[in-house]
């Protein structure tokens, strides 16, 4: 299927009425630091120098440190903002460095040279934020408040992350895809390695970590800064993929507010609908109907110097039309009759309100409370750009309600060397799907197999209810050249599916299929299928140590983690095709323990803080919560809840006249594809050595080496090489069948020049199970190493540029390229032909090995190269201009071909086992 798109010029007509300045920042606890070396004019280090970092961003106004015997100091847990750093030592003149702009999650190097002088003498030096962090190996991107306000669609941070690759959906720079965040990867990571955090704590419900978009979408106007880490994670991070961390605003002693408004429609769009595309049948491109954003915020003191607030509200959304899909003139009929005057819609709107309170309980005790509530409605599909594989009546409305986050955090800098922190978060969400207006909740879907296009109704209406409680606490000890931090994270939660959708999880409890307009197959479901999974506990203990010795900084971390889930007993009511079912509880699914080292080194090449050589190596367990790990072992899911039957519509009424209560009396239907349908036998289970143990969890190693250099004041560039490799991949092995139970066959590919060398040629390497084994399943999930060697890795290069100029202009971006490779040929050579091997992701997207033809998969190194740049430039009269540019690889072009039994049987020597 070919689509074309429109591009919103410059994104929005921004009303951007920033009538008042935004409130000061709030930072993730311990995220930013100021560090450096103090010497005298002879070059000798000076111990005992008092270093004061002052900023309006600090609740206590001033944070203090003292240089150690090496002349080093470090002040941790300072908030993003503008700083003045003062160095004092009796007998020496005072040195003051002003205008130090500190971003989030960054260690700014601020050195000083003191000369002998009077106490009253002060030397003031203007400064700015260093462009190179010579203390950390973490690869990150920081979005400041100014950048969030100025850049088109900056709230969709994934669009401008260097090296980010969306797993599904479209890429665009204008913001027309709305707030939906597509699961993505960086440097070969897995989608389950992505985490979304608020002030350092997860907000992903009972899913645990990664890849799930069903989350709380934060109010952009209430965000001070956002950091995005994509490599070199410390021991505080569970996973090694992408880590989004949002830093909310706080109030201050001055009442301040803002109003951000934006609106646009199709009049500010261009398109690439050429005559060539029109000649090939494209009638219209993706189109924007309207896009809006209303976002006021206000903050200030409740009790001056004691209690502050920041409150926000946001109402925003996008209405679009989808290329190549139209309303169906016969929505309940047996064919798709497009109404070309009515393109299919893809709409969404969201409403959010939040409140953050900051309380200075004592001079050094700070407590933050955040409460946010949200209502979201994604109409006609949840995918980026709208789904093109179904007509509008076959979509669903996905509604998030209730959807809220509550968080409390506490920090206490007991001394200039000792810092204590703690916090807790509850993230709660329910999302459910309903049919569009006018569509019956019991209307079954109908899919044309030759085009994979669905009409009549959605194949499923799902519901998810999740709660996630997570807590953290840590202690940091700083001497200057040495920083030691230790602490713990604990998370528990639950995930309920289809609690309230009853028999309508799959409308009519069946999906219908036709091939070239002729009924061909029916899929029946064992509805109702509610499931319950519990995350008993995800406990992590970590230690992170940082040593600076002259120009070298070593970051050494160790993380011990346990993950324990279980499934309580479940009682399922009778449905259309099955009776009531009961399932006993299942414990330790899984019960994993992992020990993961994290190591990094930074070398200040010339001792100026402007050039850093960096290297890192870390082990990262694959991120997963109850949505993936425990769900596989849930006996409801592990039983057979669906089965296919060939369907011959003899009377032409498009209604399957099948004897569903007695599969042997087929009527218009053939045999069941799985004889265990509707039973309570557990036909999918973990092997014991995969389900429980030490370091048996799938994991990956990530390594990197690179250099960062400050070309000019505020202008930094970097080049880095990344490698990631995976271990403990899984195999799903059906123990009831063997390789000898499969018969090979070939097909003749269609004649089409776009298919290249296989056009019109025989393509072999396909297999079909012997009819005697058809429908027999008993699957054991095991480690791939049980059967042979499986390799999976990524190698890539990033080039980045970041600049902050004295006039307020900012520029960031870069280019990235890399190669992913997967190889299971060793398993195939040993005859492990029909099993499913791979993948990093522990859900249904495991890789089908198939045969020697497909056992090695590799992407071209430069074929996925991307370029991303974004910047802000100040103009006269307090105006500013901003722009974003992306050059990304196009979508993968796929060709689907449905092969009939008549085409297969001459090569196979019999009919297909399923008929």
């Amino acid at each position: 299927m070919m689509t074309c798109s429109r591009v919103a010029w410059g994104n929005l007509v921004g009303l951007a009425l920033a009538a008042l300045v935004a409130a000061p920042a709030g930072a993730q606890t311990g995220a930013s630091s100021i560090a450096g070396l103090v010497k005298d004019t002879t070059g000798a280090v000076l111990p005992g120098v008092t270093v004061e970092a002052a900023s309006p961003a600090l609740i206590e106004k001033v944070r203090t440190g003292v240089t150690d015997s090496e002349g080093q100091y470090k002040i941790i847990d300072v908030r993003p903002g503008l700083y003045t750093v003062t160095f004092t030592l009796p007998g020496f003149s005072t040195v003051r460095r002003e205008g130090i702009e500190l971003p989030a999650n960054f260690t700014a190097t601020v050195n000083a040279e003191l000369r002998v002088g009077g106490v009253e003498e002060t030397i003031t030096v203007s400064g700015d934020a260093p462009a190179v962090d010579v203390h950390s190996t973490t690869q990150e991107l920081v979005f400041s408040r100014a950048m969030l306000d100025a850049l088109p669609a900056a709230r969709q941070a994934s669009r401008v992350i260097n090296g980010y690759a969306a797993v599904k959906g479209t890429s665009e720079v204008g913001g027309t895809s709305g707030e939906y965040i597509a699961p993505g990867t960086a440097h070969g990571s897995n989608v389950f390695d992505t985490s979304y955090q608020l002030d350092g704590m997860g907000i992903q419900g009972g899913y645990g970590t990664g890849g799930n978009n069903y989350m709380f979408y934060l109010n952009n106007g209430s965000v001070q800064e956002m950091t995005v880490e994509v490599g070199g994670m410390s021991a505080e991070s569970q996973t090694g993929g992408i880590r989004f961390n949002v830093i909310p605003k706080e109030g201050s002693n001055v009442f301040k507010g803002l109003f951000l408004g934006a609106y646009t429609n199709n009049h500010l769009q261009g398109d690439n609908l050429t005559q060539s595309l029109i000649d090939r049948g494209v009638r219209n491109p993706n189109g924007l109907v309207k896009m809006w954003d209303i976002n006021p915020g206000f903050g200030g003191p409740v009790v001056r110097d004691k209690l502050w607030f920041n409150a926000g509200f946001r109402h925003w959304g996008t209405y679009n039309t989808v290329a190549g899909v139209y309303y169906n003139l016969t929505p309940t009929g047996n064919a798709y009759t497009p109404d070309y005057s009515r393109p299919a819609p893809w709409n969404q709107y969201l409403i959010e309100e939040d409140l953050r309170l900051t309380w200075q309980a004592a001079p050094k005790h700070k407590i933050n409370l955040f409460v946010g509530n949200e209502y979201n409605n994604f109409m006609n599909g949840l995918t980026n750009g709208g789904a093109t594989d179904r007509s509008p009546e076959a979509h669903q409305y996905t509604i998030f309600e209730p959807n809220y986050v509550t968080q409390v955090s506490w920090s206490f800098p007991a001394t200039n060397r000792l810092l204590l922190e703690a916090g807790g978060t509850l993230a709660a969400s329910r999302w459910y799907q309903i049919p569009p207006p006018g569509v019956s909740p019991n209307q079954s879907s109908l899919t044309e197999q030759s085009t994979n296009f669905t009409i009549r109704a959605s194949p499923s209406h799902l519901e998810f209810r999740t709660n996630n409680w997570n807590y953290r606490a840590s202690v940091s000890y700083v001497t200057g050249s040495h920083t030691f931090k230790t602490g713990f994270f604990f998370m528990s939660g639950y995930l309920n599916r289809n609690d309230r959708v009853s028999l309508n999880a799959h409308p009519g409890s069946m999906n219908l299929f036709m091939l070239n307009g002729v009924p061909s197959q029916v899929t029946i479901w064992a509805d109702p299928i509610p499931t319950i999974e519990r995350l008993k506990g995800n406990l992590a203990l970590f230690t992170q140590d940082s040593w600076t010795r002259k120009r070298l900084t070593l970051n050494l971390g160790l993380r011990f983690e346990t993950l324990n889930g279980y499934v309580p007993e479940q009682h399922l009511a009778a449905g259309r095709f099955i009776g009531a079912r009961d399932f006993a509880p299942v414990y330790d699914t899984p019960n994993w323990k992992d020990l993961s080292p994290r190591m990094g080194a930074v070398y200040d090449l010339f001792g100026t803080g402007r050039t850093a050589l960096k290297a890192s190596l870390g082990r990262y367990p694959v991120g997963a919560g109850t949505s993936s790990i425990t769900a596989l072992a849930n006996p409801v899911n592990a039983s057979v809840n669906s089965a296919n039957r060939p369907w011959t519509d003899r009377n032409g009424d498009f209604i399957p006249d099948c004897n569903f209560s007695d599969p042997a009396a087929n009527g218009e239907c053939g045999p069941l594809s799985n004889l265990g349908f509707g039973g309570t036998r557990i036909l999918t289970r973990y092997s014991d050595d995969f389900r429980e143990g030490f370091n048996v969890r799938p994991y990956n190693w990530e390594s990197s080496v690179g250099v960062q250099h400050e070309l000019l004041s505020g202008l930094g560039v970097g080049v880095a090489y990344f490698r990631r490799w995976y271990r403990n991949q899984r195999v799903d092995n059906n123990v009831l069948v063997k390789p000898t139970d499969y018969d090979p066959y070939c097909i003749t590919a269609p004649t089409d020049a776009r298919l290249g060398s296989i056009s019109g040629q025989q393509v072999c390497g396909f297999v079909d199970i012997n009819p005697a084994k058809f429908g027999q399943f008993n699957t054991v999930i095991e480690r791939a190493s049980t059967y042979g060697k499986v390799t999976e890795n990524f190698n890539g290069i990033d080039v980045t540029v970041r600049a902050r100029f004295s006039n307020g202009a900012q520029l960031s971006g870069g280019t990235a390229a890399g190669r992913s490779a997967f190889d299971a040929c060793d398993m195939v050579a040993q005859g492990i032909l029909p099993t499913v091997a791979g993948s990093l992701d522990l859900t249904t997207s495991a890789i089908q090995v198939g045969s020697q033809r497909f056992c090695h998969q590799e992407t071209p190194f430069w074929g996925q190269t991307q370029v991303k740049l974004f910047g802000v430039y100040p103009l006269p009269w307090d105006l500013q201009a901003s722009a974003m540019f992306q050059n990304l690889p196009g979508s993968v072009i796929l060709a689907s071909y449905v092969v009939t039994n008549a085409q297969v049987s001459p090569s196979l020597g019999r009919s297909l086992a399923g008929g």
Side-chain angles (χ1 to χ4, degrees), residues 20-65:
L20 300 170
V21 179
Q28 175 196 350
T29 303
S32 298
S33 304
I34 299 175
L37 175 67
V38 183
K39 300 180 180 181
D40 63 17
T41 55
T42 68
V45 299
L46 290 176
V49 177
T50 299
V51 185
E52 294 183 337
S55 173
L58 291 174
I59 192 172
E60 65 273 40
K61 307 305 181 187
V62 177
R63 292 289 301 278
T64 303

Side-chain angles (χ1 to χ4, degrees), residues 2-327:
M2 172 172 284
T3 63
C4 57
S5 63
R6 289 181 174 175
V7 178
W9 294 106
N11 181 35
L12 306 173
V13 177
L15 304 180
L17 302 179
L20 300 170
V21 179
Q28 175 196 350
T29 303
S32 298
S33 304
I34 299 175
L37 175 67
V38 183
K39 300 180 180 181
D40 63 17
T41 55
T42 68
V45 299
L46 290 176
V49 177
T50 299
V51 185
E52 294 183 337
S55 173
L58 291 174
I59 192 172
E60 65 273 40
K61 307 305 181 187
V62 177
R63 292 289 301 278
T64 303
V66 178
T67 59
D68 61 12
S69 59
E70 302 293 329
Q72 300 274 356
Y73 76 93
K74 193 170 189 179
I75 302 174
I76 65 172
D77 188 42
V78 289
R79 325 182 70 74
L82 202 62
Y83 279 80
T84 296
V85 181
T86 304
F87 302 85
T88 58
L89 181 66
F92 290 82
S93 57
T94 299
V95 173
R96 179 181 293 118
R97 293 281 303 274
E98 294 181 341
I100 305 297
E101 185 179 351
L102 181 66
N105 209 32
F106 186 88
T107 299
T109 300
V110 183
N111 299 326
E113 183 179 275
L114 275 58
R115 69 183 186 187
V116 176
V119 177
E120 71 283 355
E121 182 182 11
T122 301
I123 301 173
T124 301
V125 181
S126 297
D128 53 15
V132 176
D133 186 340
V134 296
H135 296 271
S136 172
T137 57
T138 302
Q139 302 288 326
E140 64 187 0
L141 180 66
V142 178
F143 293 87
S144 66
R145 179 69 254 171
M147 195 173 290
L148 288 170
D149 289 340
L151 283 178
R155 68 181 63 90
Q156 297 149 326
S158 62
R159 313 215 188 284
V160 291
I161 300 172
N162 194 38
Y164 175 89
V167 173
K168 61 180 179 180
T170 60
S171 297
E172 47 82 29
V173 297
T176 56
S177 294
E179 194 66 24
Y180 178 82
I181 302 176
T185 66
H187 306 137
S189 65
N190 181 264
V191 293
F192 279 85
D193 294 333
T194 301
S195 64
Y196 305 89
Q197 298 182 347
L198 172 69
D199 217 7
M201 287 179 277
I203 53 173
Q204 288 168 270
Y207 292 97
T209 60
N212 301 287
N213 306 291
Y214 316 120
M215 55 174 286
F216 189 83
Y217 294 98
L218 288 159
N219 180 344
N220 181 51
S222 296
V223 174
Q224 184 59 36
E225 289 198 340
M226 180 190 302
T227 62
V228 186
E229 298 178 357
V230 294
M233 311 294 192
S234 73
E236 294 183 66
S237 298
Q238 178 188 20
T239 57
I242 305 175
R243 179 173 177 261
F244 295 88
N245 185 36
V246 169
I247 301 151
K249 292 180 179 176
E250 295 178 351
S252 69
N253 280 327
V254 179
F255 287 104
K256 300 179 181 180
L258 61 80
F259 181 87
L260 301 174
Y263 178 84
T264 192
N265 55 30
N266 62 304
H267 296 301
L268 289 176
Q269 282 193 324
D271 65 63
N272 61 347
L273 184 59
T274 63
Q275 186 61 47
S276 174
L277 292 174
I278 295 174
D279 294 342
R280 294 169 66 181
V282 180
R283 292 175 176 266
N284 66 285
N286 290 335
L288 175 68
V289 177
K290 65 177 179 178
M291 179 165 58
W292 73 95
D293 196 339
I294 302 170
N295 194 185
F298 190 69
V302 178
V303 179
R304 188 176 178 82
D305 293 328
K306 196 71 174 178
L307 181 64
W308 305 266
F309 78 96
N310 189 85
F313 171 82
R314 189 181 180 197
H315 183 208
W316 72 110
T318 61
Y319 285 4
N320 297 274
T321 59
V322 182
V325 184
Y326 306 88
Y327 276 93

Side-chain angles (χ1 to χ4, degrees), residues 403-483:
N403 193 31
Y404 61 89
V405 171
T406 301
Q407 183 181 95
V408 63
S409 61
W410 165 78
S411 65
F412 173 43
T415 69
N416 56 24
R417 293 192 172 190
L418 184 64
L419 171 68
L420 286 76
E421 303 169 282
T425 300
L426 167 62
S429 178
R430 176 192 176 224
W431 69 267
Y432 58 95
Q433 296 173 330
I434 59 175
V439 178
S440 168
N442 292 313
Q443 173 70 60
S444 296
S445 64
L446 177 62
T447 300
E448 170 57 58
Q449 290 178 295
S450 64
T451 59
N452 198 34
F453 193 82
T454 300
I455 60 174
R456 281 190 178 179
S458 172
S460 65
H461 294 147
L462 305 177
E463 179 201 34
F464 284 64
R465 183 73 170 90
T466 77
N467 271 22
N468 171 9
W469 294 269
N470 66 89
Y471 314 91
R472 63 172 171 85
S474 63
V475 178
S476 301
Y477 184 76
V478 183
T479 65
S481 57
H482 179 212
T483 301

Side-chain angles (χ1 to χ4, degrees), residues 806-836:
S806 58
N807 65 350
Q810 298 184 57
L811 175 69
S812 292
T815 182
R819 172 186 289 129
S820 296
F822 171 85
D823 190 290
C825 297
D826 180 60
M827 293 179 61
V828 174
Q830 298 183 53
I832 315 297
L833 180 65
T835 61
V836 178

Side-chain angles (χ1 to χ4, degrees), residues 47 69 146 152 188-189 644 646 648 677 748 760 766 808 829 858:
S69 59
S189 65
N644 301 323
T648 303
F677 173 75
T748 301
F766 303 102
E858 186 172 310

Side-chain angles (χ1 to χ4, degrees), residues 365-617:
H365 291 267
K366 184 183 73 173
I367 297 174
N368 275 318
L369 173 66
F370 176 89
V371 179
N373 183 57
E374 194 166 280
Y375 170 82
N376 305 333
N377 190 337
F378 293 86
M379 297 169 281
N380 298 87
L382 187 58
T383 56
N384 235 1
T388 58
D389 61 350
R390 60 187 69 181
S391 56
E393 76 276 3
H395 278 283
Q396 62 275 322
Y397 285 13
T398 302
I399 300 171
F400 293 70
E401 185 184 30
N403 193 31
Y404 61 89
V405 171
T406 301
Q407 183 181 95
V408 63
S409 61
W410 165 78
S411 65
F412 173 43
T415 69
N416 56 24
R417 293 192 172 190
L418 184 64
L419 171 68
L420 286 76
E421 303 169 282
T425 300
L426 167 62
S429 178
R430 176 192 176 224
W431 69 267
Y432 58 95
Q433 296 173 330
I434 59 175
V439 178
S440 168
N442 292 313
Q443 173 70 60
S444 296
S445 64
L446 177 62
T447 300
E448 170 57 58
Q449 290 178 295
S450 64
T451 59
N452 198 34
F453 193 82
T454 300
I455 60 174
R456 281 190 178 179
S458 172
S460 65
H461 294 147
L462 305 177
E463 179 201 34
F464 284 64
R465 183 73 170 90
T466 77
N467 271 22
N468 171 9
W469 294 269
N470 66 89
Y471 314 91
R472 63 172 171 85
S474 63
V475 178
S476 301
Y477 184 76
V478 183
T479 65
S481 57
H482 179 212
T483 301
F484 175 81
K485 185 174 185 179
T486 187
F488 77 89
F489 290 83
F490 181 78
M491 180 173 65
S492 63
Y494 69 81
L495 174 60
N496 295 354
R497 295 180 182 86
N498 304 330
D499 273 358
R500 307 179 193 180
V501 294
S502 187
L503 297 178
N504 295 325
H506 303 88
S509 295
M510 66 168 60
N511 307 131
L512 309 180
F513 297 85
M514 57 184 176
L515 179 61
N516 299 321
V518 178
S520 58
Q521 176 182 296
V522 57
T523 298
I524 59 174
W525 291 89
D527 290 329
I529 320 174
T531 62
I532 306 172
E533 287 106 38
R534 297 289 185 264
L535 181 61
K536 184 176 182 179
N538 185 357
L539 172 66
L541 307 175
F542 73 90
T543 296
Q544 186 70 43
D545 208 359
S546 177
W547 285 89
T548 299
R549 186 70 175 176
K550 298 184 183 299
R551 300 181 187 179
L552 178 66
T553 298
L554 294 177
N555 296 307
L556 306 176
L558 191 64
R559 181 183 179 94
F560 174 75
E561 188 169 343
T562 67
L563 179 66
N564 187 277
Y566 73 99
V567 181
E569 64 180 30
Q570 297 164 99
H571 307 282
L572 278 61
R576 180 177 180 180
F577 301 123
I578 49 96
R581 296 183 290 169
D582 297 302
F583 294 91
V586 180
Y587 298 100
D588 294 325
T589 56
N591 189 347
W592 284 335
K593 300 175 179 65
D594 286 273
L595 188 64
S596 301
R598 311 281 169 83
M599 298 168 284
V602 185
Y603 186 71
D604 187 351
L605 189 59
F606 303 112
T608 61
R610 294 178 177 271
T611 306
L613 301 178
K614 300 187 175 186
S616 68
L617 175 66

